[in-house]
Amino acid sequence: KLIFMMSLLLGTTLTISSNHWITAWAGLEINTLAILPLISKSHHPRAIEAATKYFLTQAAASALVLFSSMTNAWHTGQWDITQLTHPTSCLILTSAIAIKLGLVPFHFWFPEVMQGSPLTTGLLLSTIMKLPPISLLFMTSPSLNQTLLTCMAIISTALGGWMGLNQTQIRKILAFSSISHLGWMAIIIPYSPKLALLNFYLYALMTTAVFLTLNSIKTLKLSTLMTTWTKTPALSAMLLLTLLSLAGLPPLTGFLPKWLIIQELTKQDMILAATVISLLSLL
């Protein structure tokens, strides 16, 4: 476990601090390889299936990242991450990072993988594993395709809300919550990257709180969650507040990034997008 944790930290740090596409790609690969044993450690067929799905999607996405950076290097002669200028490269990179993060239409793997992993690994998948792709988006944000990102963001918020409605498995619900939060981050990253990072940090904080609570009360299904208040009333009350914050209810912390994003979108004359995405997040 120590080796895997160290590798996770190494891969994330490598990607975040790199300036060259090859080192960023290497960091992503190290991350993928480190999380695979953590997903499949329970030796359950479901866990093995989740690990296989995760590996295939992440390998494809990493290959696309490498491909887009090579195309860019071929046309511009430089491997600098911030100098991604070729339109085709930008398009391929946006798709690759969308696959890595699990944005709609590339979201299919994420709920399945979350459902197959233990709670602690699910926590890693929905927080730490999202940081390197989001930092790549942050570094390339000036040259990204805004229309594509806005479309993906709005559909992500819609599907994240809709698909989460009918679930009984808590990990799946949290996976769909993650997808709709990613929609909020994706819609704002071309206009105000720092706001997207703020959104991510707060999301990671709230998700960590939820996962650690669920882990301590050993809950995987909604039916077991309904009876926890008899055992741990205080923790259940805190979990209620955290979930409302994750949903973005006004007096709580989770509302802050949404408020700022709506404000920024109205400044950018994207009032329709702001209205749609706010209504969809009510789901």
Side-chain angles (χ1 to χ4, degrees), residues 123-156:
L123 170 61
L124 289 176
L125 278 173
S126 50
T127 53
I128 294 188
M129 300 302 288
K130 302 264 187 259
L131 189 53
I134 284 179
S135 62
L136 284 180
L137 275 183
F138 181 83
M139 289 188 274
T140 55
S141 56
S143 54
L144 292 172
N145 187 329
Q146 294 172 355
T147 329
L148 178 69
L149 273 175
T150 309
C151 292
M152 286 205 295
I154 290 174
I155 307 172
S156 292

Short mmCIF file of all heavy atoms in Angstrom, two decimals, residues 123-156:
data_model
loop_
_atom_site.label_atom_id
_atom_site.label_comp_id
_atom_site.label_asym_id
_atom_site.label_seq_id
_atom_site.Cartn_x
_atom_site.Cartn_y
_atom_site.Cartn_z
N LEU A 123 -12.87 7.12 -2.99
CA LEU A 123 -12.48 8.47 -2.59
C LEU A 123 -11.29 8.95 -3.42
O LEU A 123 -11.28 10.06 -3.95
CB LEU A 123 -12.15 8.48 -1.10
CG LEU A 123 -11.49 9.74 -0.56
CD1 LEU A 123 -12.39 10.93 -0.75
CD2 LEU A 123 -11.16 9.58 0.91
N LEU A 124 -10.27 8.08 -3.54
CA LEU A 124 -9.10 8.43 -4.35
C LEU A 124 -9.49 8.71 -5.79
O LEU A 124 -9.03 9.67 -6.41
CB LEU A 124 -8.06 7.30 -4.32
CG LEU A 124 -7.32 7.08 -3.00
CD1 LEU A 124 -6.42 5.87 -3.11
CD2 LEU A 124 -6.50 8.31 -2.66
N LEU A 125 -10.39 7.84 -6.33
CA LEU A 125 -10.79 7.98 -7.74
C LEU A 125 -11.50 9.31 -7.98
O LEU A 125 -11.32 9.93 -9.02
CB LEU A 125 -11.73 6.84 -8.13
CG LEU A 125 -11.09 5.51 -8.51
CD1 LEU A 125 -12.17 4.47 -8.69
CD2 LEU A 125 -10.31 5.67 -9.78
N SER A 126 -12.35 9.72 -7.00
CA SER A 126 -13.14 10.91 -7.30
C SER A 126 -12.45 12.20 -6.86
O SER A 126 -12.94 13.27 -7.17
CB SER A 126 -14.52 10.80 -6.65
OG SER A 126 -14.40 10.45 -5.32
N THR A 127 -11.32 12.13 -6.14
CA THR A 127 -10.63 13.37 -5.80
C THR A 127 -9.23 13.42 -6.41
O THR A 127 -9.00 14.17 -7.36
CB THR A 127 -10.54 13.54 -4.27
OG1 THR A 127 -9.97 12.36 -3.71
CG2 THR A 127 -11.91 13.77 -3.67
N ILE A 128 -8.29 12.62 -5.88
CA ILE A 128 -6.88 12.74 -6.30
C ILE A 128 -6.70 12.43 -7.79
O ILE A 128 -5.95 13.11 -8.48
CB ILE A 128 -5.99 11.80 -5.45
CG1 ILE A 128 -6.00 12.30 -4.02
CG2 ILE A 128 -4.58 11.76 -5.99
CD1 ILE A 128 -5.05 11.61 -3.09
N MET A 129 -7.43 11.43 -8.30
CA MET A 129 -7.24 11.05 -9.70
C MET A 129 -7.78 12.10 -10.66
O MET A 129 -7.50 12.05 -11.85
CB MET A 129 -7.90 9.70 -10.00
CG MET A 129 -7.38 8.56 -9.17
SD MET A 129 -5.63 8.32 -9.37
CE MET A 129 -5.55 7.66 -11.00
N LYS A 130 -8.60 13.03 -10.16
CA LYS A 130 -9.13 14.08 -11.03
C LYS A 130 -8.17 15.27 -11.10
O LYS A 130 -8.29 16.11 -11.98
CB LYS A 130 -10.46 14.60 -10.48
CG LYS A 130 -11.51 13.54 -10.33
CD LYS A 130 -12.41 13.54 -11.54
CE LYS A 130 -13.56 12.62 -11.34
NZ LYS A 130 -13.41 11.34 -12.01
N LEU A 131 -7.25 15.35 -10.14
CA LEU A 131 -6.40 16.55 -10.07
C LEU A 131 -5.45 16.69 -11.28
O LEU A 131 -5.40 17.78 -11.86
CB LEU A 131 -5.64 16.54 -8.74
CG LEU A 131 -4.87 17.81 -8.40
CD1 LEU A 131 -5.78 19.02 -8.49
CD2 LEU A 131 -4.27 17.73 -7.01
N PRO A 132 -4.70 15.63 -11.69
CA PRO A 132 -3.80 15.83 -12.84
C PRO A 132 -4.52 16.27 -14.12
O PRO A 132 -4.09 17.25 -14.74
CB PRO A 132 -3.13 14.46 -13.00
CG PRO A 132 -3.24 13.83 -11.68
CD PRO A 132 -4.52 14.30 -11.08
N PRO A 133 -5.65 15.61 -14.53
CA PRO A 133 -6.32 16.08 -15.75
C PRO A 133 -6.83 17.52 -15.62
O PRO A 133 -6.72 18.30 -16.57
CB PRO A 133 -7.50 15.12 -15.92
CG PRO A 133 -7.17 13.94 -15.13
CD PRO A 133 -6.30 14.40 -14.02
N ILE A 134 -7.33 17.87 -14.42
CA ILE A 134 -7.85 19.23 -14.24
C ILE A 134 -6.70 20.24 -14.30
O ILE A 134 -6.84 21.33 -14.86
CB ILE A 134 -8.65 19.34 -12.94
CG1 ILE A 134 -10.02 18.69 -13.16
CG2 ILE A 134 -8.85 20.79 -12.51
CD1 ILE A 134 -10.92 18.69 -12.00
N SER A 135 -5.52 19.86 -13.77
CA SER A 135 -4.39 20.79 -13.85
C SER A 135 -3.92 20.94 -15.29
O SER A 135 -3.49 22.03 -15.70
CB SER A 135 -3.25 20.32 -12.95
OG SER A 135 -2.78 19.08 -13.37
N LEU A 136 -4.03 19.87 -16.09
CA LEU A 136 -3.69 20.00 -17.52
C LEU A 136 -4.66 20.95 -18.21
O LEU A 136 -4.26 21.79 -19.02
CB LEU A 136 -3.72 18.63 -18.20
CG LEU A 136 -2.53 17.70 -17.94
CD1 LEU A 136 -2.71 16.40 -18.69
CD2 LEU A 136 -1.24 18.36 -18.36
N LEU A 137 -5.97 20.81 -17.88
CA LEU A 137 -6.96 21.73 -18.44
C LEU A 137 -6.64 23.16 -18.02
O LEU A 137 -6.75 24.09 -18.82
CB LEU A 137 -8.36 21.37 -17.94
CG LEU A 137 -9.16 20.31 -18.69
CD1 LEU A 137 -10.53 20.17 -18.07
CD2 LEU A 137 -9.30 20.66 -20.16
N PHE A 138 -6.24 23.33 -16.76
CA PHE A 138 -5.91 24.64 -16.22
C PHE A 138 -4.76 25.27 -17.02
O PHE A 138 -4.81 26.44 -17.38
CB PHE A 138 -5.52 24.48 -14.75
CG PHE A 138 -5.18 25.76 -14.04
CD1 PHE A 138 -6.18 26.55 -13.52
CD2 PHE A 138 -3.86 26.16 -13.90
CE1 PHE A 138 -5.87 27.74 -12.86
CE2 PHE A 138 -3.55 27.34 -13.24
CZ PHE A 138 -4.56 28.13 -12.73
N MET A 139 -3.73 24.45 -17.32
CA MET A 139 -2.56 24.98 -18.02
C MET A 139 -2.85 25.28 -19.49
O MET A 139 -2.24 26.17 -20.08
CB MET A 139 -1.38 24.01 -17.89
CG MET A 139 -0.81 23.98 -16.49
SD MET A 139 0.69 23.03 -16.36
CE MET A 139 0.08 21.38 -16.10
N THR A 140 -3.78 24.52 -20.09
CA THR A 140 -4.05 24.74 -21.52
C THR A 140 -5.30 25.57 -21.73
O THR A 140 -5.74 25.73 -22.87
CB THR A 140 -4.22 23.39 -22.24
OG1 THR A 140 -5.24 22.65 -21.57
CG2 THR A 140 -2.95 22.59 -22.27
N SER A 141 -5.88 26.11 -20.62
CA SER A 141 -7.20 26.74 -20.73
C SER A 141 -7.34 27.85 -21.79
O SER A 141 -8.40 27.98 -22.38
CB SER A 141 -7.65 27.26 -19.37
OG SER A 141 -6.68 28.13 -18.85
N PRO A 142 -6.29 28.68 -22.07
CA PRO A 142 -6.52 29.73 -23.07
C PRO A 142 -6.81 29.19 -24.47
O PRO A 142 -7.52 29.83 -25.25
CB PRO A 142 -5.21 30.52 -23.08
CG PRO A 142 -4.49 30.14 -21.85
CD PRO A 142 -4.94 28.78 -21.48
N SER A 143 -6.29 27.99 -24.79
CA SER A 143 -6.43 27.52 -26.17
C SER A 143 -7.52 26.47 -26.35
O SER A 143 -7.66 25.90 -27.41
CB SER A 143 -5.09 26.94 -26.64
OG SER A 143 -4.65 25.97 -25.73
N LEU A 144 -8.31 26.20 -25.27
CA LEU A 144 -9.31 25.14 -25.38
C LEU A 144 -10.51 25.57 -26.23
O LEU A 144 -10.79 26.77 -26.36
CB LEU A 144 -9.79 24.72 -23.99
CG LEU A 144 -8.75 24.02 -23.12
CD1 LEU A 144 -9.28 23.83 -21.72
CD2 LEU A 144 -8.38 22.68 -23.72
N ASN A 145 -11.21 24.57 -26.75
CA ASN A 145 -12.40 24.83 -27.57
C ASN A 145 -13.59 25.10 -26.65
O ASN A 145 -14.11 24.19 -26.00
CB ASN A 145 -12.67 23.60 -28.45
CG ASN A 145 -13.77 23.85 -29.45
OD1 ASN A 145 -14.69 24.61 -29.19
ND2 ASN A 145 -13.66 23.21 -30.59
N GLN A 146 -14.03 26.37 -26.59
CA GLN A 146 -15.05 26.75 -25.60
C GLN A 146 -16.41 26.13 -25.89
O GLN A 146 -17.11 25.71 -24.97
CB GLN A 146 -15.15 28.27 -25.55
CG GLN A 146 -13.87 28.89 -25.01
CD GLN A 146 -13.85 30.39 -25.12
OE1 GLN A 146 -14.76 30.99 -25.69
NE2 GLN A 146 -12.81 31.01 -24.59
N THR A 147 -16.77 26.07 -27.19
CA THR A 147 -18.09 25.52 -27.53
C THR A 147 -18.20 24.06 -27.09
O THR A 147 -19.17 23.66 -26.45
CB THR A 147 -18.31 25.58 -29.06
OG1 THR A 147 -17.63 26.72 -29.56
CG2 THR A 147 -19.78 25.66 -29.40
N LEU A 148 -17.16 23.29 -27.41
CA LEU A 148 -17.15 21.87 -27.05
C LEU A 148 -17.26 21.70 -25.54
O LEU A 148 -18.07 20.91 -25.04
CB LEU A 148 -15.86 21.22 -27.57
CG LEU A 148 -15.68 19.75 -27.24
CD1 LEU A 148 -16.68 18.90 -27.99
CD2 LEU A 148 -14.27 19.27 -27.55
N LEU A 149 -16.45 22.49 -24.81
CA LEU A 149 -16.46 22.38 -23.34
C LEU A 149 -17.84 22.74 -22.77
O LEU A 149 -18.34 22.05 -21.88
CB LEU A 149 -15.40 23.29 -22.74
CG LEU A 149 -14.01 22.67 -22.63
CD1 LEU A 149 -13.02 23.70 -22.14
CD2 LEU A 149 -14.02 21.50 -21.67
N THR A 150 -18.44 23.81 -23.31
CA THR A 150 -19.75 24.23 -22.79
C THR A 150 -20.80 23.14 -23.04
O THR A 150 -21.57 22.80 -22.13
CB THR A 150 -20.20 25.55 -23.45
OG1 THR A 150 -19.12 26.48 -23.33
CG2 THR A 150 -21.42 26.12 -22.77
N CYS A 151 -20.79 22.58 -24.25
CA CYS A 151 -21.76 21.50 -24.56
C CYS A 151 -21.56 20.32 -23.61
O CYS A 151 -22.52 19.82 -23.01
CB CYS A 151 -21.60 21.03 -26.00
SG CYS A 151 -22.10 22.27 -27.18
N MET A 152 -20.30 19.87 -23.48
CA MET A 152 -20.02 18.72 -22.62
C MET A 152 -20.42 19.03 -21.18
O MET A 152 -20.96 18.17 -20.47
CB MET A 152 -18.54 18.34 -22.69
CG MET A 152 -18.17 17.67 -23.98
SD MET A 152 -16.73 16.61 -23.90
CE MET A 152 -15.43 17.71 -23.55
N ALA A 153 -20.16 20.27 -20.75
CA ALA A 153 -20.46 20.64 -19.37
C ALA A 153 -21.96 20.58 -19.10
O ALA A 153 -22.40 20.01 -18.10
CB ALA A 153 -19.94 22.04 -19.09
N ILE A 154 -22.76 21.15 -20.02
CA ILE A 154 -24.21 21.18 -19.79
C ILE A 154 -24.79 19.77 -19.79
O ILE A 154 -25.58 19.40 -18.91
CB ILE A 154 -24.90 22.10 -20.82
CG1 ILE A 154 -24.51 23.55 -20.51
CG2 ILE A 154 -26.41 21.94 -20.77
CD1 ILE A 154 -25.00 24.55 -21.51
N ILE A 155 -24.33 18.92 -20.75
CA ILE A 155 -24.86 17.55 -20.79
C ILE A 155 -24.39 16.77 -19.55
O ILE A 155 -25.14 15.96 -19.00
CB ILE A 155 -24.41 16.83 -22.08
CG1 ILE A 155 -24.76 17.66 -23.31
CG2 ILE A 155 -25.11 15.50 -22.23
CD1 ILE A 155 -24.19 17.12 -24.59
N SER A 156 -23.16 17.05 -19.08
CA SER A 156 -22.67 16.37 -17.87
C SER A 156 -23.53 16.70 -16.66
O SER A 156 -23.89 15.81 -15.89
CB SER A 156 -21.24 16.79 -17.56
OG SER A 156 -20.37 16.30 -18.53
#
